[in-house]
Amino acid sequence: MIKVAFFDTKEYDRASFELCNVQNEMEFKFLETKLTEDTVDLAKDCDVVCVFVNDTVNDKVIDKLYEYGVKMIALRCAGYNNVDLSRAYGKIHVVHVPAYSPYAVAEHAAALLLTSIRRIHKAYNRTRDFNFSLNGLTGFDLQGKTVGVVGTGKIGRIFINICQGFGMNVIAYDKFPAKDSGLHYVSLDELFEKSDIISLHCPLTEETTHLINHESIEKMKKGVVILNTSRGALINAEALLEGIKSRKVGAACLDVYEEEADIFFEDRSGHILNDELLARLISMPNVIVTSHQAFLTKEALTNIAETTIKNIKSFFENDGLCDNELCYRCGNIEHCKKQRKQRCF
Ligand code: NAI
């Protein structure tokens, strides 16, 4: 029987995965701890480790997993910036869930935007206290505003559709623009200069790390609203805080934060937050932070569990073939074996 060790699990993970394993085809070991160099021993005797966004899957962890005979790293998420794919190549196969509900993330981005600009979070707290004053709650119309979308993949495109529904003017930047999409692509600089709202939907890579920084904020319109539901390190948080303090940035909505790994997903309400920068950002009246929640819908959890189980089964039952396998050459069409229906190695 295939034995799977799940790291960094929460109640909702267990529930959705157990529902997919009603016939007990696999043995599940649910662990609350994250995968790190210190916890990797817990994967001994397992065939598969199933990890999430903040697990550490670096060279040392991969070497240990290989030593323990683990054959597969199954990411139960789309992004894979936390996995050293080149180290895994030739040793352990890596699979992910390329899309589980792009709607969940795009709709969360839209929810954050509306909450922020219409001051819903403030109004909610006021009326609960029977404070019915409208002072300080003035928002602005989305209709006619320009939104700049960075990354026009699955989530970016759905977010664009939502924005078009509000009558917004959409401009976009993508390193690999979609052909015949009818989208109005501009350079990154032009996007920074012209957008009233900027929403990030690109992956975290060396190139996109700190895409939002002091210089890019300098180029933006005064009062710009910045949305990040992608990965925290796309934004230099210090630069963002400076931008907010100087009133250049009108509002920021963050579902992700560069240093979220040791903070997000846990109840820390009884503790002193050690991250001064995050505490300062949260204290700003025009910053909304959600803790990597954008994916969290029933539909997405079901899709994540179903696709992960399918990935594992497909690999063990099809001689190592799996459509959702990742390797360090991913995106390099010329060298992609997967596209030729072969194993990555
Ligand atoms: P996707 O792969 O469909 O789209 C990504 C797009 O970014 C592609 O069009 C690609 O060409 C573009 N891109 C690549 N490099 C770029 C660069 N240097 N500059 C600009 N664009 C670039 O991915 P999808 O599904 O739309 O997801 C986007 C991101 O959303 C993921 O990378 C992940 O980090 C994040 N995400 C966040 C979740 C959350 O709960 N907050 C859940 C799921 C994904």
Side-chain angles (χ1 to χ4, degrees):
M1 193 188 285
I2 304 165
K3 199 167 169 187
V4 188
F6 290 79
F7 283 86
D8 198 13
T9 54
K10 300 280 179 284
E11 243 174 68
Y12 47 80
D13 294 309
R14 285 171 193 232
S16 55
F17 274 94
E18 269 161 2
L19 261 181
C20 281
N21 192 32
V22 273
Q23 287 162 346
N24 287 320
E25 294 165 288
M26 295 182 196
E27 190 183 330
F28 290 166
K29 179 176 173 182
F30 289 107
L31 300 159
E32 283 181 18
T33 179
K34 289 190 184 64
L35 177 61
T36 65
E37 289 159 37
D38 298 327
T39 62
V40 64
D41 289 357
L42 294 166
K44 264 184 190 166
D45 309 328
C46 290
D47 305 293
V48 179
V49 292
C50 184
V51 298
F52 196 49
V53 291
N54 290 321
D55 287 299
T56 305
V57 198
N58 62 16
D59 51 348
K60 292 187 189 75
V61 170
I62 287 168
D63 288 352
K64 274 280 175 204
L65 292 173
Y66 184 55
E67 187 189 317
Y68 296 151
V70 172
K71 293 168 195 69
M72 176 186 265
I73 296 164
L75 286 146
R76 52 178 193 280
C77 53
Y80 45 87
N81 51 284
N82 54 334
V83 182
D84 187 340
L85 287 180
S86 59
R87 189 65 164 209
Y89 189 77
K91 293 184 175 134
I92 304 183
H93 295 267
V94 183
V95 295
H96 74 148
V97 182
Y100 34 91
S101 176
Y103 297 97
V105 183
E107 289 170 14
H108 190 78
L112 285 172
L113 173 61
L114 286 169
T115 304
S116 169
I117 67 157
R118 300 309 305 269
R119 322 300 289 147
I120 303 296
H121 54 309
K122 298 276 170 199
Y124 173 79
N125 284 330
R126 278 191 196 181
T127 52
R128 282 174 66 85
D129 205 23
F130 304 136
N131 172 355
F132 300 106
S133 155
L134 295 183
N135 286 337
L137 299 185
T138 308
F140 63 81
D141 291 3
L142 287 178
Q143 202 281 332
K145 295 293 182 303
T146 296
V147 59
V149 177
V150 181
T152 56
K154 292 176 284 296
I155 296 171
R157 294 285 280 273
I158 294 165
F159 183 72
I160 287 172
N161 288 343
I162 294 172
C163 291
Q164 285 169 336
F166 279 108
M168 299 173 83
N169 166 39
V170 179
I171 56 175
Y173 170 78
D174 195 299
K175 195 178 171 191
F176 310 100
K179 289 195 184 88
D180 307 323
S181 62
L183 293 176
H184 180 192
Y185 284 105
V186 296
S187 69
L188 206 46
D189 276 351
E190 193 177 341
L191 184 141
F192 291 147
E193 283 157 23
K194 292 195 170 156
S195 302
D196 300 297
I197 294 145
I198 295 175
S199 196
L200 305 178
H201 299 288
C202 60
L204 177 66
T205 61
E206 258 176 52
E207 206 177 341
T208 60
T209 299
H210 290 184
L211 186 88
I212 305 293
N213 53 40
H214 288 286
E215 290 88 68
S216 50
I217 290 175
E218 197 55 43
K219 292 174 192 154
M220 293 175 195
K221 277 189 176 179
K222 186 166 169 28
V224 63
V225 177
I226 298 175
L227 311 175
N228 188 8
T229 53
S230 219
R231 284 292 179 266
L234 294 176
I235 296 185
N236 175 338
E238 271 176 40
L240 178 67
L241 182 62
E242 283 308 311
I244 285 163
K245 280 164 47 185
S246 69
R247 317 287 194 273
K248 177 83 189 218
V249 175
C253 302
L254 312 172
D255 185 52
V256 285
Y257 172 66
E258 185 165 4
E259 302 301 330
E260 70 179 46
D262 293 327
I263 302 170
F264 281 13
F265 299 110
E266 304 296 336
D267 178 1
R268 304 198 183 279
S269 54
H271 303 262
I272 309 270
L273 189 62
N274 283 328
D275 189 316
E276 300 278 337
L277 189 54
L278 181 61
R280 194 88 176 88
L281 279 168
I282 289 174
S283 74
M284 294 288 160
N286 48 356
V287 174
I288 298 179
V289 174
T290 51
S291 55
H292 210 132
Q293 181 191 337
F295 76 100
L296 195 65
T297 64
K298 281 183 199 163
E299 291 80 358
L301 288 173
T302 305
N303 287 340
I304 288 171
E306 284 177 357
T307 309
T308 303
I309 299 292
K310 213 164 118 199
N311 283 344
I312 298 172
K313 275 196 191 170
S314 142
F315 176 82
F316 284 94
E317 290 169 9
N318 285 329
D319 192 27
L321 273 182
C322 177
D323 288 344
N324 295 330
E325 180 161 9
L326 292 165
C327 89
Y328 72 99
R329 291 175 303 204
C330 263
N332 184 336
I333 309 230
E334 205 186 322
H335 294 109
C336 184
K337 288 187 171 183
K338 195 171 55 181
Q339 294 196 352
R340 297 197 291 270
K341 296 276 169 218
Q342 295 168 2
R343 295 163 58 139
C344 291
F345 60 87

